[in-house]
Amino acid sequence: MIVIDGTREENLHYKWRPDLKPIARVGDGEKFKVIIPDASTMQVRPGMGAEDLARADSTKFDAAVGPIYVEGAKPGDVLAVDILDMQVGDWGWSAILSFMGLLKGRFKDLLVHWRIGDGRAQAVGGFLRGIRVPVKPFLGVVGVAPGEGEFGMIPPQSFGGNMDNRLHGVGARIYLPVSVEGALLSLADPHASQGDGEVSGTAIETSASVVVRASVVKGLRVGRPFTMAPSRDEPGEVIATMGISSDLHRAAVEALEDMLAILGKWYGLTPEEGYVLSSVVGNLRISEIVDEPNYVVTLTMPKSIGEWMGNPR
Amino acid sequence: MIVIDGTREENLHYKWRPDLKPIARVGDGEKFKVIIPDASTMQVRPGMGAEDLARADSTKFDAAVGPIYVEGAKPGDVLAVDILDMQVGDWGWSAILSFMGLLKGRFKDLLVHWRIGDGRAQAVGGFLRGIRVPVKPFLGVVGVAPGEGEFGMIPPQSFGGNMDNRLHGVGARIYLPVSVEGALLSLADPHASQGDGEVSGTAIETSASVVVRASVVKGLRVGRPFTMAPSRDEPGEVIATMGISSDLHRAAVEALEDMLAILGKWYGLTPEEGYVLSSVVGNLRISEIVDEPNYVVTLTMPKSIGEWMGNPR
């Protein structure tokens, strides 16, 4: 199995561009392993304080491992990225950064360190009074190259990137619209735990070793990412569509439009049927509200709607 | 047990006002039963079509049963409303109304009828291809009188009302800020099922018989509703704070501010601790995005954070 080591500088990039040189090539459907540094790209170290964090180079935040060329992927295809395994590091960090977050400017900078083990994370030094948070790892950043232009790492875009969607853990299949030959897949920003929203701007940031498979899907034209994944909260899987916009209302409309398209294509439902079904069982959630200027609103639909059909066509 | 019958016109009101005459009085902590008509206030009948719905009187939508005077409730108190039991009717309806919903103007009016039984709802007439949606009942409208002014029934407000929060089913305790003597509690809008968002503008609308207890809580000053409830998706309960605003981003900020206040008061967490905890395990969800001009964003926190504390103060 190919192993791509993102702790080596030559395997990282700090911008999304269509013309980056691939650091590796993988076959369509081939499994490979990626070692992914934390969101600070190894600038945060155990024992470091908030003053050190303030001096960190924010242009290096969310550096992505890649890009990885996937054989056979052509513009107009979709890349299906399966997260097969994910092992997180034994420590992590969270921060309050006065320049970001839903309550930005309200608090002073703060850097919290977490010990991670036995499926739990516990903040160091008495912060959070010993609360042991369940570890539910996922990848904050999963993206492919844009068709044109250059984009920073923090805002998510129609080609994916920093979606900070907590559904993107083991078992998830993330579909991304391909814009360039080889798709140019990149991964970054492992999180040991994060709620819908990531309200302070950071999750439990950590490193990870991830086993991934990327498969080329032909004939499925989509303009934005969507995902099939275990729901994280209840038994079973969900279909998750994502609207990505600086306006939360617009993002919700996009997520709903994409859901109606999928329910039509895969389940044969009319737009009216999809709209009513989305209203009575679909859940609108704010995946992130801090990666300015773009936010992600996710609409989830239980995949079990298929089993709920008494008389399928 | 007092039974209040909301199918009788004299037990309904169509505006929120501080000076409505109570239709019943209950003791602090007394159980009582409320029969609640559907959101159309019995205008929608089985077999009716979309043309009939278009002729319905929309000023009668979400008519509330009440107001109910709760002994001992004074301005500045909080009223805790426990939903102890809820039995929904054996049929319901959903609609696409061209003048409302997240995709308003996109579709023609449509009225869908549901058969409800054995914990499932199935649309009548082949719509949704026989999909049998699990029934998860809750009350769309739970509110007390405003301190002043007159408000329509559709938009939720700081005193509650049409929050359409699917957490408000059996086992929920909804806290509402009291503005007038007796609180003047009202209930309406039973839903057999609805996702976070209620994107089309309607859930599975139905009638219900609900057993409720209202208790006066002194010394807990809050400016907006909040709730303790079974999570509906996973085992365990959640603390849920609700921001209510025409701006989704503002609503999210309000929900977060209220959560930090509760985590401080009940768990002794500093605002910084509450902020980081909300980021790593709190979930921002859009409870409704259609009750114009106000939307509800809910932040949920697992109540088990209390059990996660290794060394509680």
Side-chain angles (χ1 to χ4, degrees), chain A residues 4-70:
Chain A
I4 300 166
D5 185 358
T7 66
R8 295 172 57 177
E9 175 65 30
E10 66 266 31
N11 288 338
L12 296 175
H13 62 92
Y14 299 93
K15 294 282 180 189
W16 296 101
R17 294 173 56 97
D19 55 0
L20 297 176
K21 191 172 172 300
I23 59 157
R25 297 173 79 95
V26 297
D28 177 1
E30 178 186 349
K31 277 191 209 179
F32 56 100
K33 183 181 280 191
V34 188
I35 315 293
I36 308 176
D38 71 285
S40 78
T41 319
M42 299 171 288
Q43 295 184 88
V44 173
R45 300 284 185 179
M48 188 180 270
E51 331 73 63
D52 305 301
L53 182 64
R55 282 192 294 269
D57 181 353
S58 65
T59 66
K60 291 194 184 301
F61 279 16
D62 286 344
V65 186
I68 300 159
Y69 187 102
V70 182

Side-chain angles (χ1 to χ4, degrees), chain A residues 147-256:
Chain A
E148 52 185 25
E150 178 181 280
F151 299 86
M153 304 308 291
I154 300 294
Q157 306 287 352
S158 60
F159 52 84
N162 192 28
M163 295 177 285
D164 283 323
N165 190 330
R166 71 193 194 95
L167 291 170
H168 292 166
V170 170
R173 166 170 273 210
I174 303 146
Y175 293 83
L176 299 162
V178 175
S179 295
V180 302
E181 288 272 336
L184 300 186
L185 172 67
S186 299
L187 308 172
D189 194 21
H191 290 164
S193 178
Q194 179 211 296
D196 292 320
E198 200 188 21
V199 295
S200 87
T202 62
I204 298 182
E205 308 292 336
T206 186
S207 59
S209 169
V210 181
V211 179
V212 176
R213 181 171 52 210
S215 309
V216 180
V217 183
K218 302 283 179 190
L220 182 68
R221 299 195 82 84
V222 297
R224 279 181 292 267
F226 71 96
T227 296
M228 310 288 273
S231 94
R232 322 292 281 175
D233 296 322
E234 57 189 324
E237 299 215 339
V238 291
I239 308 161
T241 51
M242 285 164 268
I244 301 172
S245 173
S246 57
D247 177 76
L248 288 163
H249 201 273
R250 174 71 213 151
V253 169
E254 289 181 357
L256 179 55

